[in-house]
Amino acid sequence: MELKDEILIEAPRDVVYAALNDPEILKDCIPGCEELIKHSDTELEAKVVLKIGPVKAKFSGNVTLNPENPPEHFSLTGEGNGGAAGFAKGGADVTLTEQDGGTLLAYNANAQIGGKLAQLGSRLVQGTAKKLAGKFFTSFAERVTEAQAAS
């Protein structure tokens, strides 16, 4: 499964990049996130509750950040286990481009799923993943824009 999109955030690139590395902001913006622990600058651990169709599961997972060329570009990989519901693993490439007094955040993500989740059908899973990604980035953009306006 592949997801890609872009969103314009009304804040400078360094502010957007810093927010993408702030566990409190991420926890608030990730749908269903109950806990997000930053173990190092590149290692995060998360607990997320998600409902995809009839399957509701609590996922525990790890995310590894690879800051290849910050703040312009970075990638991340992760995997999560939802017990009987199955597992998910994947990654994303994120590019931050200064544009019109703000930052254009573009991402290209891919994921593989297994277990009960894989039995739900790719259209349902893809639709839910796209909706969750949209919620995250909309919430993230609002949070960063509000913080930028307040400073």
Side-chain angles (χ1 to χ4, degrees), residues 28-45:
D28 290 347
C29 297
I30 296 170
C33 188
E34 294 184 336
E35 187 176 24
L36 187 64
I37 301 165
K38 187 173 184 176
H39 292 295
S40 72
D41 286 345
T42 59
E43 300 287 328
L44 296 166
E45 178 184 350

Side-chain angles (χ1 to χ4, degrees), residues 7 11 13-14 19 24 29 40 44 50 52 60 99 109 115 119 133 135 142:
I7 185 167
R13 179 170 56 194
D14 59 334
E24 285 304 311
C29 297
S40 72
L44 296 166
L50 291 176
I52 301 174
S60 295
Q99 181 176 336
Q119 297 169 4
K135 274 186 178 180
E142 288 171 0

